[in-house]
mmCIF file with all atom_site columns, all heavy atoms in Angstrom:
data_model
loop_
_atom_site.group_PDB
_atom_site.id
_atom_site.type_symbol
_atom_site.label_atom_id
_atom_site.label_alt_id
_atom_site.label_comp_id
_atom_site.label_asym_id
_atom_site.label_entity_id
_atom_site.label_seq_id
_atom_site.pdbx_PDB_ins_code
_atom_site.Cartn_x
_atom_site.Cartn_y
_atom_site.Cartn_z
_atom_site.occupancy
_atom_site.B_iso_or_equiv
_atom_site.pdbx_formal_charge
_atom_site.auth_seq_id
_atom_site.auth_comp_id
_atom_site.auth_asym_id
_atom_site.auth_atom_id
_atom_site.pdbx_PDB_model_num
ATOM 1   N N   . ILE A 1 1  ? 120.506 118.675 88.959  1.00 0.00 ? 11 ILE A N   1
ATOM 2   C CA  . ILE A 1 1  ? 119.721 117.487 89.050  1.00 0.00 ? 11 ILE A CA  1
ATOM 3   C C   . ILE A 1 1  ? 118.737 117.588 90.143  1.00 0.00 ? 11 ILE A C   1
ATOM 4   O O   . ILE A 1 1  ? 118.990 117.822 91.374  1.00 0.00 ? 11 ILE A O   1
ATOM 5   C CB  . ILE A 1 1  ? 120.608 116.200 89.167  1.00 0.00 ? 11 ILE A CB  1
ATOM 6   C CG1 . ILE A 1 1  ? 121.353 116.009 87.865  1.00 0.00 ? 11 ILE A CG1 1
ATOM 7   C CG2 . ILE A 1 1  ? 119.873 115.001 89.513  1.00 0.00 ? 11 ILE A CG2 1
ATOM 8   C CD1 . ILE A 1 1  ? 120.634 115.469 86.657  1.00 0.00 ? 11 ILE A CD1 1
ATOM 9   N N   . VAL A 1 2  ? 117.399 117.190 89.909  1.00 0.00 ? 12 VAL A N   1
ATOM 10  C CA  . VAL A 1 2  ? 116.438 117.132 90.864  1.00 0.00 ? 12 VAL A CA  1
ATOM 11  C C   . VAL A 1 2  ? 115.833 115.774 91.046  1.00 0.00 ? 12 VAL A C   1
ATOM 12  O O   . VAL A 1 2  ? 115.481 115.207 89.855  1.00 0.00 ? 12 VAL A O   1
ATOM 13  C CB  . VAL A 1 2  ? 115.374 118.147 90.655  1.00 0.00 ? 12 VAL A CB  1
ATOM 14  C CG1 . VAL A 1 2  ? 114.210 118.199 91.775  1.00 0.00 ? 12 VAL A CG1 1
ATOM 15  C CG2 . VAL A 1 2  ? 115.761 119.572 90.479  1.00 0.00 ? 12 VAL A CG2 1
ATOM 16  N N   . GLY A 1 3  ? 115.819 115.184 92.173  1.00 0.00 ? 13 GLY A N   1
ATOM 17  C CA  . GLY A 1 3  ? 115.408 113.827 92.345  1.00 0.00 ? 13 GLY A CA  1
ATOM 18  C C   . GLY A 1 3  ? 114.264 113.784 93.346  1.00 0.00 ? 13 GLY A C   1
ATOM 19  O O   . GLY A 1 3  ? 114.101 114.486 94.202  1.00 0.00 ? 13 GLY A O   1
ATOM 20  N N   . GLY A 1 4  ? 113.443 112.615 93.029  1.00 0.00 ? 14 GLY A N   1
ATOM 21  C CA  . GLY A 1 4  ? 112.413 112.308 93.932  1.00 0.00 ? 14 GLY A CA  1
ATOM 22  C C   . GLY A 1 4  ? 112.366 110.877 94.218  1.00 0.00 ? 14 GLY A C   1
ATOM 23  O O   . GLY A 1 4  ? 112.384 110.101 93.152  1.00 0.00 ? 14 GLY A O   1
ATOM 24  N N   . LEU A 1 5  ? 112.410 110.392 95.349  1.00 0.00 ? 15 LEU A N   1
ATOM 25  C CA  . LEU A 1 5  ? 112.703 108.830 95.737  1.00 0.00 ? 15 LEU A CA  1
ATOM 26  C C   . LEU A 1 5  ? 111.511 108.400 96.724  1.00 0.00 ? 15 LEU A C   1
ATOM 27  O O   . LEU A 1 5  ? 111.284 108.938 97.711  1.00 0.00 ? 15 LEU A O   1
ATOM 28  C CB  . LEU A 1 5  ? 114.021 108.721 96.242  1.00 0.00 ? 15 LEU A CB  1
ATOM 29  C CG  . LEU A 1 5  ? 115.307 109.364 95.804  1.00 0.00 ? 15 LEU A CG  1
ATOM 30  C CD1 . LEU A 1 5  ? 116.548 109.104 96.614  1.00 0.00 ? 15 LEU A CD1 1
ATOM 31  C CD2 . LEU A 1 5  ? 115.467 109.040 94.336  1.00 0.00 ? 15 LEU A CD2 1
ATOM 32  N N   . ASN A 1 6  ? 111.134 107.216 96.444  1.00 0.00 ? 16 ASN A N   1
ATOM 33  C CA  . ASN A 1 6  ? 110.224 106.428 97.347  1.00 0.00 ? 16 ASN A CA  1
ATOM 34  C C   . ASN A 1 6  ? 110.115 105.083 97.025  1.00 0.00 ? 16 ASN A C   1
ATOM 35  O O   . ASN A 1 6  ? 109.902 104.707 95.897  1.00 0.00 ? 16 ASN A O   1
ATOM 36  C CB  . ASN A 1 6  ? 108.796 106.984 97.305  1.00 0.00 ? 16 ASN A CB  1
ATOM 37  C CG  . ASN A 1 6  ? 107.977 106.659 98.579  1.00 0.00 ? 16 ASN A CG  1
ATOM 38  O OD1 . ASN A 1 6  ? 108.532 106.931 99.719  1.00 0.00 ? 16 ASN A OD1 1
ATOM 39  N ND2 . ASN A 1 6  ? 106.827 106.060 98.300  1.00 0.00 ? 16 ASN A ND2 1
ATOM 40  N N   . LEU A 1 7  ? 110.443 104.180 97.945  1.00 0.00 ? 17 LEU A N   1
ATOM 41  C CA  . LEU A 1 7  ? 110.232 102.826 97.810  1.00 0.00 ? 17 LEU A CA  1
ATOM 42  C C   . LEU A 1 7  ? 109.531 102.242 99.039  1.00 0.00 ? 17 LEU A C   1
ATOM 43  O O   . LEU A 1 7  ? 109.613 102.605 100.179 1.00 0.00 ? 17 LEU A O   1
ATOM 44  C CB  . LEU A 1 7  ? 111.580 101.942 97.854  1.00 0.00 ? 17 LEU A CB  1
ATOM 45  C CG  . LEU A 1 7  ? 112.541 102.218 96.536  1.00 0.00 ? 17 LEU A CG  1
ATOM 46  C CD1 . LEU A 1 7  ? 113.904 101.466 96.615  1.00 0.00 ? 17 LEU A CD1 1
ATOM 47  C CD2 . LEU A 1 7  ? 111.799 101.867 95.321  1.00 0.00 ? 17 LEU A CD2 1
ATOM 48  N N   . VAL A 1 8  ? 108.617 101.260 98.753  1.00 0.00 ? 18 VAL A N   1
ATOM 49  C CA  . VAL A 1 8  ? 107.648 100.678 99.775  1.00 0.00 ? 18 VAL A CA  1
ATOM 50  C C   . VAL A 1 8  ? 108.118 99.313  100.070 1.00 0.00 ? 18 VAL A C   1
ATOM 51  O O   . VAL A 1 8  ? 107.827 98.407  99.324  1.00 0.00 ? 18 VAL A O   1
ATOM 52  C CB  . VAL A 1 8  ? 106.322 100.730 99.175  1.00 0.00 ? 18 VAL A CB  1
ATOM 53  C CG1 . VAL A 1 8  ? 105.260 100.078 100.223 1.00 0.00 ? 18 VAL A CG1 1
ATOM 54  C CG2 . VAL A 1 8  ? 105.810 102.151 98.924  1.00 0.00 ? 18 VAL A CG2 1
ATOM 55  N N   . LEU A 1 9  ? 109.060 99.125  101.033 1.00 0.00 ? 19 LEU A N   1
ATOM 56  C CA  . LEU A 1 9  ? 109.720 97.900  101.301 1.00 0.00 ? 19 LEU A CA  1
ATOM 57  C C   . LEU A 1 9  ? 109.283 97.255  102.580 1.00 0.00 ? 19 LEU A C   1
ATOM 58  O O   . LEU A 1 9  ? 109.375 96.102  102.771 1.00 0.00 ? 19 LEU A O   1
ATOM 59  C CB  . LEU A 1 9  ? 111.280 98.139  101.426 1.00 0.00 ? 19 LEU A CB  1
ATOM 60  C CG  . LEU A 1 9  ? 111.836 98.789  100.121 1.00 0.00 ? 19 LEU A CG  1
ATOM 61  C CD1 . LEU A 1 9  ? 113.402 99.039  100.285 1.00 0.00 ? 19 LEU A CD1 1
ATOM 62  C CD2 . LEU A 1 9  ? 111.640 97.981  98.831  1.00 0.00 ? 19 LEU A CD2 1
ATOM 63  N N   . ARG A 1 10 ? 108.861 98.015  103.611 1.00 0.00 ? 20 ARG A N   1
ATOM 64  C CA  . ARG A 1 10 ? 108.669 97.504  104.923 1.00 0.00 ? 20 ARG A CA  1
ATOM 65  C C   . ARG A 1 10 ? 107.052 97.509  105.276 1.00 0.00 ? 20 ARG A C   1
ATOM 66  O O   . ARG A 1 10 ? 106.597 98.613  105.099 1.00 0.00 ? 20 ARG A O   1
ATOM 67  C CB  . ARG A 1 10 ? 109.306 98.100  106.045 1.00 0.00 ? 20 ARG A CB  1
ATOM 68  C CG  . ARG A 1 10 ? 110.770 97.947  105.920 1.00 0.00 ? 20 ARG A CG  1
ATOM 69  C CD  . ARG A 1 10 ? 111.566 98.869  107.022 1.00 0.00 ? 20 ARG A CD  1
ATOM 70  N NE  . ARG A 1 10 ? 111.015 98.667  108.219 1.00 0.00 ? 20 ARG A NE  1
ATOM 71  C CZ  . ARG A 1 10 ? 111.154 99.682  109.221 1.00 0.00 ? 20 ARG A CZ  1
ATOM 72  N NH1 . ARG A 1 10 ? 111.826 100.838 108.905 1.00 0.00 ? 20 ARG A NH1 1
ATOM 73  N NH2 . ARG A 1 10 ? 110.642 99.478  110.403 1.00 0.00 ? 20 ARG A NH2 1
ATOM 74  N N   . PRO A 1 11 ? 106.337 96.470  105.534 1.00 0.00 ? 21 PRO A N   1
ATOM 75  C CA  . PRO A 1 11 ? 105.005 96.578  105.859 1.00 0.00 ? 21 PRO A CA  1
ATOM 76  C C   . PRO A 1 11 ? 104.672 97.506  107.103 1.00 0.00 ? 21 PRO A C   1
ATOM 77  O O   . PRO A 1 11 ? 103.554 97.985  107.201 1.00 0.00 ? 21 PRO A O   1
ATOM 78  C CB  . PRO A 1 11 ? 104.544 94.988  106.117 1.00 0.00 ? 21 PRO A CB  1
ATOM 79  C CG  . PRO A 1 11 ? 105.826 94.364  106.389 1.00 0.00 ? 21 PRO A CG  1
ATOM 80  C CD  . PRO A 1 11 ? 106.900 95.184  105.736 1.00 0.00 ? 21 PRO A CD  1
ATOM 81  N N   . ASN A 1 12 ? 105.689 97.620  107.910 1.00 0.00 ? 22 ASN A N   1
ATOM 82  C CA  . ASN A 1 12 ? 105.385 98.328  109.242 1.00 0.00 ? 22 ASN A CA  1
ATOM 83  C C   . ASN A 1 12 ? 105.108 99.780  108.891 1.00 0.00 ? 22 ASN A C   1
ATOM 84  O O   . ASN A 1 12 ? 104.390 100.460 109.529 1.00 0.00 ? 22 ASN A O   1
ATOM 85  C CB  . ASN A 1 12 ? 106.623 98.302  110.223 1.00 0.00 ? 22 ASN A CB  1
ATOM 86  C CG  . ASN A 1 12 ? 106.762 96.824  110.867 1.00 0.00 ? 22 ASN A CG  1
ATOM 87  O OD1 . ASN A 1 12 ? 106.241 95.927  110.257 1.00 0.00 ? 22 ASN A OD1 1
ATOM 88  N ND2 . ASN A 1 12 ? 107.709 96.639  111.835 1.00 0.00 ? 22 ASN A ND2 1
ATOM 89  N N   . VAL A 1 13 ? 105.775 100.299 107.842 1.00 0.00 ? 23 VAL A N   1
ATOM 90  C CA  . VAL A 1 13 ? 105.504 101.774 107.435 1.00 0.00 ? 23 VAL A CA  1
ATOM 91  C C   . VAL A 1 13 ? 104.104 101.874 106.900 1.00 0.00 ? 23 VAL A C   1
ATOM 92  O O   . VAL A 1 13 ? 103.309 102.748 107.299 1.00 0.00 ? 23 VAL A O   1
ATOM 93  C CB  . VAL A 1 13 ? 106.616 102.243 106.510 1.00 0.00 ? 23 VAL A CB  1
ATOM 94  C CG1 . VAL A 1 13 ? 106.258 103.757 106.020 1.00 0.00 ? 23 VAL A CG1 1
ATOM 95  C CG2 . VAL A 1 13 ? 107.851 102.189 106.983 1.00 0.00 ? 23 VAL A CG2 1
ATOM 96  N N   . SER A 1 14 ? 103.735 101.025 106.058 1.00 0.00 ? 24 SER A N   1
ATOM 97  C CA  . SER A 1 14 ? 102.276 100.941 105.492 1.00 0.00 ? 24 SER A CA  1
ATOM 98  C C   . SER A 1 14 ? 101.340 100.813 106.691 1.00 0.00 ? 24 SER A C   1
ATOM 99  O O   . SER A 1 14 ? 100.175 101.326 106.664 1.00 0.00 ? 24 SER A O   1
ATOM 100 C CB  . SER A 1 14 ? 102.200 99.890  104.506 1.00 0.00 ? 24 SER A CB  1
ATOM 101 O OG  . SER A 1 14 ? 102.959 100.169 103.313 1.00 0.00 ? 24 SER A OG  1
ATOM 102 N N   . LEU A 1 15 ? 101.682 99.983  107.691 1.00 0.00 ? 25 LEU A N   1
ATOM 103 C CA  . LEU A 1 15 ? 100.745 99.756  108.787 1.00 0.00 ? 25 LEU A CA  1
ATOM 104 C C   . LEU A 1 15 ? 100.501 101.070 109.429 1.00 0.00 ? 25 LEU A C   1
ATOM 105 O O   . LEU A 1 15 ? 99.497  101.321 109.979 1.00 0.00 ? 25 LEU A O   1
ATOM 106 C CB  . LEU A 1 15 ? 101.343 98.688  109.762 1.00 0.00 ? 25 LEU A CB  1
ATOM 107 C CG  . LEU A 1 15 ? 100.472 98.284  110.887 1.00 0.00 ? 25 LEU A CG  1
ATOM 108 C CD1 . LEU A 1 15 ? 99.006  97.722  110.337 1.00 0.00 ? 25 LEU A CD1 1
ATOM 109 C CD2 . LEU A 1 15 ? 101.181 97.098  111.791 1.00 0.00 ? 25 LEU A CD2 1
ATOM 110 N N   . GLN A 1 16 ? 101.511 101.882 109.645 1.00 0.00 ? 26 GLN A N   1
ATOM 111 C CA  . GLN A 1 16 ? 101.433 103.188 110.291 1.00 0.00 ? 26 GLN A CA  1
ATOM 112 C C   . GLN A 1 16 ? 100.300 103.904 109.510 1.00 0.00 ? 26 GLN A C   1
ATOM 113 O O   . GLN A 1 16 ? 99.403  104.622 110.135 1.00 0.00 ? 26 GLN A O   1
ATOM 114 C CB  . GLN A 1 16 ? 102.719 103.894 110.248 1.00 0.00 ? 26 GLN A CB  1
ATOM 115 C CG  . GLN A 1 16 ? 103.743 103.426 111.162 1.00 0.00 ? 26 GLN A CG  1
ATOM 116 C CD  . GLN A 1 16 ? 103.685 103.859 112.615 1.00 0.00 ? 26 GLN A CD  1
ATOM 117 O OE1 . GLN A 1 16 ? 102.632 104.510 113.091 1.00 0.00 ? 26 GLN A OE1 1
ATOM 118 N NE2 . GLN A 1 16 ? 104.693 103.610 113.322 1.00 0.00 ? 26 GLN A NE2 1
ATOM 119 N N   . CYS A 1 17 ? 100.360 103.822 108.336 1.00 0.00 ? 27 CYS A N   1
ATOM 120 C CA  . CYS A 1 17 ? 99.407  104.710 107.416 1.00 0.00 ? 27 CYS A CA  1
ATOM 121 C C   . CYS A 1 17 ? 98.093  104.129 107.587 1.00 0.00 ? 27 CYS A C   1
ATOM 122 O O   . CYS A 1 17 ? 97.077  104.765 107.589 1.00 0.00 ? 27 CYS A O   1
ATOM 123 C CB  . CYS A 1 17 ? 99.864  104.588 105.868 1.00 0.00 ? 27 CYS A CB  1
ATOM 124 S SG  . CYS A 1 17 ? 101.356 105.469 105.488 1.00 0.00 ? 27 CYS A SG  1
ATOM 125 N N   . LEU A 1 18 ? 97.916  102.789 107.702 1.00 0.00 ? 28 LEU A N   1
ATOM 126 C CA  . LEU A 1 18 ? 96.674  102.102 107.796 1.00 0.00 ? 28 LEU A CA  1
ATOM 127 C C   . LEU A 1 18 ? 96.041  102.501 109.187 1.00 0.00 ? 28 LEU A C   1
ATOM 128 O O   . LEU A 1 18 ? 94.819  102.915 109.221 1.00 0.00 ? 28 LEU A O   1
ATOM 129 C CB  . LEU A 1 18 ? 96.865  100.576 107.767 1.00 0.00 ? 28 LEU A CB  1
ATOM 130 C CG  . LEU A 1 18 ? 95.540  99.753  107.973 1.00 0.00 ? 28 LEU A CG  1
ATOM 131 C CD1 . LEU A 1 18 ? 94.589  99.877  106.842 1.00 0.00 ? 28 LEU A CD1 1
ATOM 132 C CD2 . LEU A 1 18 ? 95.911  98.319  108.171 1.00 0.00 ? 28 LEU A CD2 1
ATOM 133 N N   . LYS A 1 19 ? 96.978  102.584 110.266 1.00 0.00 ? 29 LYS A N   1
ATOM 134 C CA  . LYS A 1 19 ? 96.324  102.968 111.566 1.00 0.00 ? 29 LYS A CA  1
ATOM 135 C C   . LYS A 1 19 ? 95.891  104.422 111.653 1.00 0.00 ? 29 LYS A C   1
ATOM 136 O O   . LYS A 1 19 ? 95.074  104.797 112.448 1.00 0.00 ? 29 LYS A O   1
ATOM 137 C CB  . LYS A 1 19 ? 97.398  102.778 112.525 1.00 0.00 ? 29 LYS A CB  1
ATOM 138 C CG  . LYS A 1 19 ? 97.785  101.329 112.802 1.00 0.00 ? 29 LYS A CG  1
ATOM 139 C CD  . LYS A 1 19 ? 96.669  100.378 113.220 1.00 0.00 ? 29 LYS A CD  1
ATOM 140 C CE  . LYS A 1 19 ? 97.098  99.065  113.660 1.00 0.00 ? 29 LYS A CE  1
ATOM 141 N NZ  . LYS A 1 19 ? 95.919  98.204  114.004 1.00 0.00 ? 29 LYS A NZ  1
ATOM 142 N N   . LEU A 1 20 ? 96.440  105.191 110.687 1.00 0.00 ? 30 LEU A N   1
ATOM 143 C CA  . LEU A 1 20 ? 95.919  106.713 110.511 1.00 0.00 ? 30 LEU A CA  1
ATOM 144 C C   . LEU A 1 20 ? 94.841  106.869 109.595 1.00 0.00 ? 30 LEU A C   1
ATOM 145 O O   . LEU A 1 20 ? 94.335  107.972 109.297 1.00 0.00 ? 30 LEU A O   1
ATOM 146 C CB  . LEU A 1 20 ? 97.204  107.534 110.113 1.00 0.00 ? 30 LEU A CB  1
ATOM 147 C CG  . LEU A 1 20 ? 98.306  107.745 111.135 1.00 0.00 ? 30 LEU A CG  1
ATOM 148 C CD1 . LEU A 1 20 ? 99.384  108.385 110.359 1.00 0.00 ? 30 LEU A CD1 1
ATOM 149 C CD2 . LEU A 1 20 ? 97.741  108.537 112.408 1.00 0.00 ? 30 LEU A CD2 1
ATOM 150 N N   . ASN A 1 21 ? 94.291  105.728 109.143 1.00 0.00 ? 31 ASN A N   1
ATOM 151 C CA  . ASN A 1 21 ? 93.123  105.700 108.271 1.00 0.00 ? 31 ASN A CA  1
ATOM 152 C C   . ASN A 1 21 ? 93.413  106.449 106.885 1.00 0.00 ? 31 ASN A C   1
ATOM 153 O O   . ASN A 1 21 ? 92.541  107.050 106.358 1.00 0.00 ? 31 ASN A O   1
ATOM 154 C CB  . ASN A 1 21 ? 91.872  106.294 108.865 1.00 0.00 ? 31 ASN A CB  1
ATOM 155 C CG  . ASN A 1 21 ? 91.431  105.489 110.054 1.00 0.00 ? 31 ASN A CG  1
ATOM 156 O OD1 . ASN A 1 21 ? 91.256  104.330 110.030 1.00 0.00 ? 31 ASN A OD1 1
ATOM 157 N ND2 . ASN A 1 21 ? 91.140  106.161 111.199 1.00 0.00 ? 31 ASN A ND2 1
ATOM 158 N N   . MET A 1 22 ? 94.640  106.337 106.472 1.00 0.00 ? 32 MET A N   1
ATOM 159 C CA  . MET A 1 22 ? 95.064  107.040 105.271 1.00 0.00 ? 32 MET A CA  1
ATOM 160 C C   . MET A 1 22 ? 94.910  106.199 103.959 1.00 0.00 ? 32 MET A C   1
ATOM 161 O O   . MET A 1 22 ? 94.871  106.703 102.791 1.00 0.00 ? 32 MET A O   1
ATOM 162 C CB  . MET A 1 22 ? 96.590  107.406 105.274 1.00 0.00 ? 32 MET A CB  1
ATOM 163 C CG  . MET A 1 22 ? 96.800  108.434 106.411 1.00 0.00 ? 32 MET A CG  1
ATOM 164 S SD  . MET A 1 22 ? 98.557  108.583 106.800 1.00 0.00 ? 32 MET A SD  1
ATOM 165 C CE  . MET A 1 22 ? 99.201  109.043 105.081 1.00 0.00 ? 32 MET A CE  1
ATOM 166 N N   . LEU A 1 23 ? 94.827  104.829 104.165 1.00 0.00 ? 33 LEU A N   1
ATOM 167 C CA  . LEU A 1 23 ? 94.967  103.950 103.017 1.00 0.00 ? 33 LEU A CA  1
ATOM 168 C C   . LEU A 1 23 ? 93.531  103.527 102.406 1.00 0.00 ? 33 LEU A C   1
ATOM 169 O O   . LEU A 1 23 ? 92.614  103.355 103.121 1.00 0.00 ? 33 LEU A O   1
ATOM 170 C CB  . LEU A 1 23 ? 95.708  102.680 103.284 1.00 0.00 ? 33 LEU A CB  1
ATOM 171 C CG  . LEU A 1 23 ? 97.096  102.837 103.817 1.00 0.00 ? 33 LEU A CG  1
ATOM 172 C CD1 . LEU A 1 23 ? 97.809  101.542 104.075 1.00 0.00 ? 33 LEU A CD1 1
ATOM 173 C CD2 . LEU A 1 23 ? 97.891  103.691 102.806 1.00 0.00 ? 33 LEU A CD2 1
ATOM 174 N N   . SER A 1 24 ? 93.524  103.469 101.032 1.00 0.00 ? 34 SER A N   1
ATOM 175 C CA  . SER A 1 24 ? 92.181  103.053 100.397 1.00 0.00 ? 34 SER A CA  1
ATOM 176 C C   . SER A 1 24 ? 92.167  101.588 100.555 1.00 0.00 ? 34 SER A C   1
ATOM 177 O O   . SER A 1 24 ? 93.177  100.785 100.109 1.00 0.00 ? 34 SER A O   1
ATOM 178 C CB  . SER A 1 24 ? 92.358  103.454 98.937  1.00 0.00 ? 34 SER A CB  1
ATOM 179 O OG  . SER A 1 24 ? 91.344  102.670 98.134  1.00 0.00 ? 34 SER A OG  1
ATOM 180 N N   . GLN A 1 25 ? 91.104  100.904 101.049 1.00 0.00 ? 35 GLN A N   1
ATOM 181 C CA  . GLN A 1 25 ? 91.044  99.543  101.443 1.00 0.00 ? 35 GLN A CA  1
ATOM 182 C C   . GLN A 1 25 ? 91.169  98.636  100.200 1.00 0.00 ? 35 GLN A C   1
ATOM 183 O O   . GLN A 1 25 ? 91.656  97.582  100.193 1.00 0.00 ? 35 GLN A O   1
ATOM 184 C CB  . GLN A 1 25 ? 89.780  99.339  102.221 1.00 0.00 ? 35 GLN A CB  1
ATOM 185 C CG  . GLN A 1 25 ? 89.843  99.720  103.528 1.00 0.00 ? 35 GLN A CG  1
ATOM 186 C CD  . GLN A 1 25 ? 90.945  99.224  104.388 1.00 0.00 ? 35 GLN A CD  1
ATOM 187 O OE1 . GLN A 1 25 ? 91.040  97.959  104.267 1.00 0.00 ? 35 GLN A OE1 1
ATOM 188 N NE2 . GLN A 1 25 ? 91.627  99.940  105.084 1.00 0.00 ? 35 GLN A NE2 1
ATOM 189 N N   . ASP A 1 26 ? 90.584  99.198  99.042  1.00 0.00 ? 36 ASP A N   1
ATOM 190 C CA  . ASP A 1 26 ? 90.621  98.380  97.703  1.00 0.00 ? 36 ASP A CA  1
ATOM 191 C C   . ASP A 1 26 ? 91.893  98.655  96.921  1.00 0.00 ? 36 ASP A C   1
ATOM 192 O O   . ASP A 1 26 ? 92.012  98.205  95.907  1.00 0.00 ? 36 ASP A O   1
ATOM 193 C CB  . ASP A 1 26 ? 89.344  98.532  97.035  1.00 0.00 ? 36 ASP A CB  1
ATOM 194 C CG  . ASP A 1 26 ? 89.191  99.918  96.425  1.00 0.00 ? 36 ASP A CG  1
ATOM 195 O OD1 . ASP A 1 26 ? 89.929  100.855 96.704  1.00 0.00 ? 36 ASP A OD1 1
ATOM 196 O OD2 . ASP A 1 26 ? 88.141  100.207 95.787  1.00 0.00 ? 36 ASP A OD2 1
ATOM 197 N N   . GLY A 1 27 ? 92.703  99.494  97.421  1.00 0.00 ? 37 GLY A N   1
ATOM 198 C CA  . GLY A 1 27 ? 94.024  99.822  96.663  1.00 0.00 ? 37 GLY A CA  1
ATOM 199 C C   . GLY A 1 27 ? 93.729  100.490 95.369  1.00 0.00 ? 37 GLY A C   1
ATOM 200 O O   . GLY A 1 27 ? 94.654  100.409 94.398  1.00 0.00 ? 37 GLY A O   1
#
């Protein structure tokens, strides 16, 4: 069995990505 997992639950983690200029502003 091979699995891949990801949930986006905490804004603080996304904020880290934002500060690194990784996120598309229009989503």
